[in-house]
Amino acid sequence: LSRERQANIRARQAFLSGRARPLEFRLQQLHALMKMIKERESDIATALKQDLNRSQYDTPLLELTGLENDIKMAINKLAVWAAPRPVERSVLTLRDQVYVQPQPLGVVLIIGAWNYPWALTLGPLIGAIAAGNAAVVKPSELSECSSLLLRALLPRYLDKDLYPVVPGGVSETQELLRQRWEHIFYTGSSSVGRLVMEAAAAHLTPVTLELGGKSPCYVHPDCNIRVAARRITWGKFVNCGQTCIAPDYVLCDPSVQNQLIECIRLTLLEFYGADPKSSPDYGRIINQRHFNRIMSLMEGYTPVIGGQSDASQRYIAPTVLRDVPPQSRLMQEEIFGPVLPLVAVSDIDDAIRFINEREKPLALYVFCTDQKGIDKMLEETSSGGILINDVLMHYTLNSLPFGGVGQSGMGRYHGKHSFDQLSHHRSCLVRSLTMESVHLSRHVAPHFHLGRHLVLVLVWSQISSTVQSPVRVSCGSL
Amino acid sequence: METHSAVLQKLRNTFRSGVTVPEKFRRSQLTQLLTLIQENEEKILGALHKDLSKPKFEAILSELEIVLNELHFALSNLRNWMQDEHVSKILATKVDECFVRREPLGVVLIIGPWNYPMHLLLLPLVGAIAAGNCVVIKPSEVTSAMEAVIAELIPKYLSPDCFTVVCGGAEETKALLKNKFDHIFYTGSQSVARSILQAAAPLLTPVTLELGGKCPCFIHERVDIIAAAHRLAWTKYFNLGQSCVAPDYVLCTKETRDLLVPALKQVLLEFYGEKPQECPDLARIVSPKHWTRIMGLLGKSKGKVVLGGESDEDSKYIAPTVLVDVPEDDSLMQEEIFGPLLPLLTVSSVDEAIDFMNNREKPLALYVFSDDSSVVNTVLKKTSSGGFCSNDGIIHMALPGLPFGGVGASGFGNYHGRWGFETFSHKRAVLLRGWALERLNGLRYPPYTDNKLSWLRWTTSPKSCSIL
């Protein structure tokens, strides 16, 4: 029996024991997870520094604060989230209990990513625990130190059998995907997302896919370009561009392009100084393969800012290129690096057309002051999420669902959405055997009474459909 | 094989034009669908009778009224559903607008089954239209009369630029699935569901699967056996057992069984008379293939027929039948019966019944009959299923406030009422910021400092709003 299969079996046995179900247990595990994050922050920061040259400030900022907020919210709200949710009743069901009861699904497989190895692996886990599931966690092998640390830490704080960590690369992941899960939560690339969904098909397993793509950023001439440049620069170069919702490329008209370049140049100086390589706040590319990939995308183009690199450190300077042709390689795949192409468009309609010719992105950014322009963008495009006049921030608001659409993914999480995503919403109708004489009207009668009964049926169905202002009756807890 | 890519392209162009998005358009199409049903009742009932010998009573209730109710419900609530949903904010976003906007997905595919060819095709369609999509509608080829009626009426009442009917069998469906859809909604069997998922995966198309399975019905000893028998028989033999939420088999103690059988005998007499085959209130099996399948299960069964058992191949008739002494590994317990055979299996306790149910795949529906609410609660808590109903059957799916869908082997995703609208929508997160408060934003920019960090943690925590 492979290690992966064993983890699946043990997690399932642990789930079937029923101990993950009581709210007290789930709360205790969530508290323990919080404790782990708080107590081990510096270990986590060290691992991230080795994996991605992450600045110590980025660790809480980008990885842990979001997790802490999600855990706090889950702890505060769990009782409400897990309670029966009453729905509208009709006249005929007024004396019944009609509600939706969230239930655990069973065993969830969580496949994490390397760019935010803690946030993107533990984020779904919070939802899995809160919803009462078991979860097998597979951290990304590319963020090696984080993966090793997670393997060491999680069993020390959480239930070992319910939430095992299974490490590994491609073949281990494939073996995991051969097992039966009640849900698979995957964060990563679209190409692997397809394979995950295909594997899930064999067991009819539902999936959440948090994928990527090229998130466009449109800068309208009427906006405050200085502020826009600062926000875009921050969102683009944080984690060295390796963020699924980083502004991948900028669309703007030629006059804006010039101003934008100058503002970005100034901002980069503010953020990282004259030599970003020596700034403690500037990251590195995860590995040689990705370094080579990003460098080759830039081949043939002369940047207006940056362009320097150092393969020994996997360092690529914050880089900006202007007038990038839409058919260039740079515009064909998600860059996932500190290279910002500026693509020229003539106006907002041209920008919208450009965006709509391409796959629906995970995030869409629009810098614009005019409300009409904002509304146009909102109405004429689609994307996982959309931010006006900033980047990335929607990720931090856990009351907003976070997820993609089309090629950028399916499903959503954060806050309550994580809980709902990893629960089964069971419809419950609790009736009594009284009122049988009323219900007799629906029972089939000998056909010579059909006429009369049809009238009754029609009356019944009229009143059984919910009336205009439905009676909202609160349902007592079971 | 025709892939209908030209038709798809037309629908996609229409969707891009934005015509399906305004509330007015959605409302007009939903109203047209209402009219379609109201003006063609006889035609629809005729087709249902041809395909399934569906009694008029059943057809009106389960194929027409239910769709009309859903349409009325959607029309009443559409504006509400379409509203932007404003969400709670953290301090960092206090002066921003933060909301979730429901958007149409694009071009969706709805594949209907044969057992309720009107209801299970049109109910998802209501959700898809309400959500502002263009739809490819694929009725079941097994119920050919209904297929023809759908193909004829839909283009007459709904905008042909937005809604297309595609007919055909397995091969045609496979070809259709080569196209990219923004959502696939499938009702039917597990085996076909697998191949749909396999076709959807390379295109990363989200899917809703409404499948089946064996819906267990536990009948506890503390119960009004006559009332229970009425409801059990009604839900079982409706559409001659061809309902995905029909109670597939019963679990009860020997004592309860001995009371249940005569109660069922009495009820069957009341419902269908001495000669059920001549009673117009019973449907027929949909096809010779399914008739043979069900009769095969009966033939191989080790159980004893105590009620019914008669059949007639030519008319695809099988009598409402009850069997006892059915072992756990019986032929009747290997697959979803989807016919009028009701095995009664004996258990000695509630716990044994719960274990029995939990040792099997999660069903689409789970039923309990008992006057003892603690028994009902225990079964409810210790089992899982798409939906749950105590002291009745099927009816939970007629309530538009409840989501209808499976879990595990019975499917994933759901619909009905608002749930249908949400299934066919994308919930887009929207954050509208201004230019002000850049100072506050400054906390997040490098060069990083401890001071900035502690302020930042405070402004992004959910607690910080309560101070304001």
Side-chain angles (χ1 to χ4, degrees):
Chain A
L1 275 188
S2 67
R3 176 175 51 180
E4 291 74 24
R5 179 147 171 72
Q6 280 179 49
N8 174 282
I9 292 173
R10 270 205 334 266
R12 191 170 298 287
Q13 278 168 351
F15 175 77
L16 290 171
S17 77
R19 70 174 178 278
R21 214 190 180 106
L23 297 191
E24 302 74 49
F25 178 85
R26 307 183 206 182
L27 288 168
Q28 183 230 8
Q29 294 295 300
L30 289 169
H31 278 290
L33 191 59
M34 179 70 107
K35 194 163 176 238
M36 180 184 100
I37 291 170
K38 288 208 138 78
E39 284 179 1
R40 303 301 194 145
E41 190 176 311
S42 59
D43 291 329
I44 294 172
T46 307
L48 283 167
K49 181 128 189 92
Q50 291 171 307
D51 286 328
L52 289 149
N53 199 43
R54 200 58 91 62
S55 139
Q56 62 165 138
Y57 296 99
D58 272 338
T59 292
L61 190 56
L62 304 172
E63 298 265 12
L64 303 184
T65 303
L67 289 176
E68 286 167 12
N69 287 341
D70 262 0
I71 295 174
K72 272 188 222 148
M73 180 183 263
I75 289 173
N76 288 336
K77 302 283 192 167
L78 189 59
V80 173
W81 292 353
R85 302 177 190 182
V87 300
E88 297 130 22
R89 294 188 222 181
S90 61
V91 171
L92 263 180
T93 52
L94 261 180
R95 294 177 64 192
D96 306 318
Q97 289 172 48
V98 189
Y99 56 91
V100 177
Q101 174 62 61
Q103 281 190 312
L105 288 167
V107 189
V108 179
L109 172 63
I110 296 172
I111 302 175
W114 55 259
N115 55 334
Y116 294 88
W118 298 86
L120 300 177
T121 310
L122 296 180
L125 181 60
I126 295 168
I129 296 173
N133 301 295
V136 170
V137 178
K138 200 214 91 43
S140 170
E141 70 284 14
L142 294 191
S143 39
E144 247 185 274
C145 302
S146 293
S147 170
L148 275 164
L149 185 59
L150 187 64
R151 269 173 74 191
L153 288 184
L154 214 65
R156 271 189 241 168
Y157 288 82
L158 300 188
D159 186 304
K160 278 194 281 295
D161 292 317
L162 280 170
Y163 320 109
V165 180
V166 176
V170 174
S171 56
E172 287 81 7
T173 308
Q174 282 169 337
E175 177 63 7
L176 278 171
L177 287 169
R178 271 180 222 116
Q179 312 310 319
R180 184 178 178 181
W181 310 96
E182 276 67 65
H183 196 101
I184 300 176
F185 195 113
Y186 169 77
T187 306
S189 72
S190 305
S191 47
V192 177
R194 282 182 198 101
L195 300 173
V196 170
M197 197 171 163
E198 218 176 277
H203 296 288
L204 294 174
T205 302
V207 301
T208 301
L209 302 176
E210 295 274 329
L211 310 176
K214 296 179 78 59
S215 296
C217 179
Y218 171 65
V219 182
H220 198 64
D222 77 351
C223 78
N224 181 333
I225 297 194
R226 184 72 192 89
V227 177
R230 194 178 279 129
R231 295 177 180 185
I232 293 169
T233 305
W234 170 72
K236 177 65 180 188
F237 299 107
V238 81
N239 208 34
C240 215
Q242 298 160 114
T243 308
C244 36
I245 45 171
D248 187 278
Y249 63 95
V250 164
L251 293 170
C252 60
D253 77 36
S255 66
V256 174
Q257 221 178 147
N258 293 323
Q259 292 176 68
L260 200 55
I261 291 170
E262 283 324 299
C263 292
I264 293 176
R265 199 191 300 277
L266 279 168
T267 307
L268 283 171
L269 264 168
E270 264 175 52
F271 285 4
Y272 307 115
D275 179 29
K277 199 173 178 188
S278 54
S279 162
D281 301 331
Y282 190 71
R284 295 293 182 267
I285 303 303
I286 182 74
N287 64 17
Q288 210 59 48
R289 180 170 68 88
H290 278 283
F291 174 88
N292 294 339
R293 180 187 64 79
I294 300 163
M295 291 309 293
S296 77
L297 286 178
M298 287 199 284
E299 255 162 44
Y301 294 100
T302 311
V304 290
I305 300 177
Q308 305 88 343
S309 62
D310 180 348
S312 68
Q313 277 192 35
R314 302 183 319 271
Y315 165 78
I316 301 177
T319 302
V320 179
L321 299 107
R322 64 175 300 148
D323 296 315
V324 175
Q327 65 276 15
S328 63
R329 272 192 62 208
L330 209 43
M331 290 304 292
Q332 301 314 312
E333 61 180 78
E334 189 174 356
I335 296 167
F336 227 66
V339 176
L340 181 65
L342 307 183
V343 178
V345 288
S346 50
D347 56 22
I348 194 169
D349 286 301
D350 196 20
I352 290 174
R353 190 194 39 81
F354 191 98
I355 292 165
N356 287 342
E357 273 169 6
R358 288 157 177 76
E359 295 296 347
K360 296 177 191 176
L362 186 55
L364 174 59
Y365 302 113
V366 180
F367 286 85
C368 180
T369 309
D370 169 43
Q371 190 62 46
K372 278 216 203 79
I374 294 170
D375 289 337
K376 202 176 209 298
M377 267 289 176
L378 258 173
E379 279 154 32
E380 296 180 24
T381 63
S382 185
S383 60
I386 178 169
L387 246 90
I388 310 296
N389 297 329
D390 207 341
V391 299
L392 269 55
M393 288 303 284
H394 61 306
Y395 186 93
T396 65
L397 190 57
N398 62 8
S399 51
L400 283 174
F402 184 75
V405 65
Q407 299 295 297
S408 53
M410 54 184 82
R412 62 204 66 85
Y413 72 128
H414 283 188
K416 182 176 186 225
H417 307 285
S418 304
F419 176 90
D420 283 340
Q421 184 81 165
L422 296 174
S423 298
H424 167 52
H425 299 272
R426 189 191 203 185
S427 295
C428 297
L429 175 56
V430 179
R431 315 203 80 186
S432 67
L433 280 170
T434 55
M435 285 176 76
E436 184 57 13
S437 52
V438 183
H439 292 295
L440 274 173
S441 67
R442 75 183 189 213
H443 296 157
V444 172
H447 62 278
F448 57 83
H449 285 313
L450 199 56
R452 191 186 84 214
H453 280 268
L454 255 181
V455 171
L456 266 173
V457 158
L458 292 169
V459 171
W460 171 70
S461 61
Q462 285 302 321
I463 58 177
S464 79
S465 66
T466 309
V467 298
Q468 283 274 349
S469 40
V471 178
R472 192 147 257 174
V473 185
S474 71
C475 167
S477 56
L478 276 179
Chain B
M1 180 75 29
E2 166 74 78
T3 60
H4 306 281
S5 50
V7 154
L8 258 294
Q9 192 54 53
K10 179 174 84 158
L11 257 52
R12 211 160 270 298
N13 292 341
T14 309
F15 181 74
R16 278 215 189 96
S17 77
V19 80
T20 58
V21 179
E23 187 194 326
K24 193 160 172 224
F25 178 83
R26 307 183 201 192
R27 212 172 261 288
S28 77
Q29 296 300 294
L30 291 171
T31 309
Q32 281 294 97
L33 205 49
L34 256 175
T35 313
L36 182 160
I37 297 172
Q38 285 160 345
E39 286 182 356
N40 294 279
E41 199 175 286
E42 283 313 308
K43 188 176 260 188
I44 295 168
L45 292 177
L48 288 167
H49 191 81
K50 191 146 181 256
D51 285 327
L52 287 147
S53 295
K54 220 178 255 252
K56 194 166 168 180
F57 188 102
E58 284 189 4
I60 291 179
L61 257 188
S62 67
E63 299 265 30
L64 300 184
E65 283 303 311
I66 195 158
V67 182
L68 292 173
N69 284 348
E70 184 81 3
L71 281 163
H72 285 300
F73 192 76
L75 283 163
S76 308
N77 291 287
L78 186 59
R79 182 157 304 165
N80 232 351
W81 294 346
M82 286 176 69
Q83 291 302 331
D84 291 333
E85 179 195 346
H86 289 264
V87 300
S88 56
K89 306 188 241 192
I90 51 180
L91 181 60
T93 53
K94 212 59 177 163
V95 294
D96 306 319
E97 262 193 78
C98 312
F99 57 91
V100 178
R101 172 165 294 185
R102 269 88 177 152
E103 297 183 341
L105 291 168
V107 181
V108 305
L109 171 63
I110 297 174
I111 301 174
W114 53 257
N115 57 335
Y116 294 89
M118 186 73 177
H119 162 180
L120 295 175
L121 188 66
L122 259 49
L123 233 66
L125 180 61
V126 172
I129 296 176
N133 300 289
C134 288
V135 190
V136 173
I137 301 160
K138 160 85 188 66
S140 169
E141 75 285 8
V142 176
T143 37
S144 50
M146 246 344 272
E147 187 194 35
V149 167
I150 297 277
E152 179 205 334
L153 293 181
I154 293 280
K156 262 201 209 151
Y157 288 82
L158 299 186
S159 163
D161 289 329
C162 311
F163 309 105
T164 305
V165 178
V166 169
C167 296
E171 288 306 310
E172 285 83 358
T173 309
K174 236 189 239 159
L176 187 58
L177 285 169
K178 290 208 173 80
N179 293 291
K180 165 81 179 139
F181 291 96
D182 298 294
H183 196 97
I184 298 173
F185 190 105
Y186 170 74
T187 307
S189 74
Q190 278 162 20
S191 49
V192 175
R194 260 180 213 101
S195 49
I196 289 185
L197 275 182
Q198 269 150 11
L203 298 167
L204 288 174
T205 304
V207 181
T208 300
L209 298 178
E210 296 272 327
L211 310 177
K214 296 177 78 59
C215 298
C217 179
F218 172 58
I219 302 189
H220 184 235
E221 55 222 11
R222 250 193 69 187
V223 82
D224 175 343
I225 201 78
I226 303 287
H230 273 98
R231 294 187 182 183
L232 174 62
W234 183 74
T235 55
K236 176 67 181 186
Y237 302 113
F238 196 95
N239 207 28
L240 210 61
Q242 298 163 107
S243 309
C244 35
V245 288
D248 188 276
Y249 62 96
V250 163
L251 294 170
C252 60
T253 60
K254 274 207 170 70
E255 295 74 31
T256 307
R257 181 200 64 185
D258 293 337
L259 293 170
L260 183 60
V261 172
L264 281 171
K265 184 166 184 197
Q266 180 191 322
V267 169
L268 289 182
L269 205 62
E270 246 179 72
F271 283 8
Y272 312 118
E274 303 255 343
K275 299 203 186 115
Q277 192 172 355
E278 291 168 25
C279 177
D281 298 333
L282 277 174
R284 291 293 181 269
I285 301 301
V286 71
S287 67
K289 181 176 104 168
H290 277 281
W291 185 91
T292 307
R293 178 188 66 81
I294 300 164
M295 292 308 293
L297 292 178
L298 183 61
K300 286 199 213 107
S301 172
K302 300 197 196 90
K304 186 176 86 177
V305 174
V306 289
L307 294 172
E310 303 87 12
S311 61
D312 173 49
E313 189 165 2
D314 289 329
S315 59
K316 294 173 283 165
Y317 169 77
I318 302 175
T321 301
V322 178
L323 299 101
V324 299
D325 300 330
V326 177
E328 255 184 72
D329 58 355
D330 193 71
S331 60
L332 287 174
M333 294 305 289
Q334 299 308 315
E335 61 182 78
E336 191 175 354
I337 295 169
F338 227 65
L341 310 177
L342 182 63
L344 307 182
L345 281 79
T346 46
V347 290
S348 52
S349 65
V350 181
D351 285 327
E352 204 187 309
I354 290 172
D355 285 338
F356 190 100
M357 293 187 273
N358 284 342
N359 281 336
R360 286 162 174 73
E361 293 294 349
K362 294 177 193 176
L364 187 55
L366 196 147
Y367 301 111
V368 177
F369 281 84
S370 177
D371 279 341
D372 186 340
S373 60
S374 66
V375 168
V376 172
N377 287 344
T378 306
V379 177
L380 186 52
K381 282 213 173 82
K382 293 193 177 175
T383 61
S384 185
S385 59
F388 175 91
C389 183
S390 67
N391 294 320
D392 213 333
I394 294 185
I395 188 155
H396 63 293
M397 65 178 289
L399 300 171
L402 284 175
F404 181 67
V407 65
S410 51
F412 53 78
N414 53 36
Y415 69 126
H416 283 192
R418 179 175 212 153
W419 305 86
F421 176 84
E422 302 270 288
T423 288
F424 289 104
S425 299
H426 166 53
K427 299 222 259 262
R428 191 183 200 185
V430 183
L431 178 48
L432 300 174
R433 310 206 83 186
W435 301 107
L437 292 185
E438 186 56 9
R439 269 264 161 84
L440 194 62
N441 259 1
L443 293 176
R444 73 193 189 201
Y445 300 143
Y448 299 133
T449 65
D450 280 322
N451 198 30
K452 275 188 189 177
L453 187 58
S454 43
W455 275 105
L456 204 54
R457 284 179 115 138
W458 187 70
T459 62
T460 53
S461 88
K463 272 218 183 96
S464 62
C465 320
S466 56
I467 294 175
L468 285 177

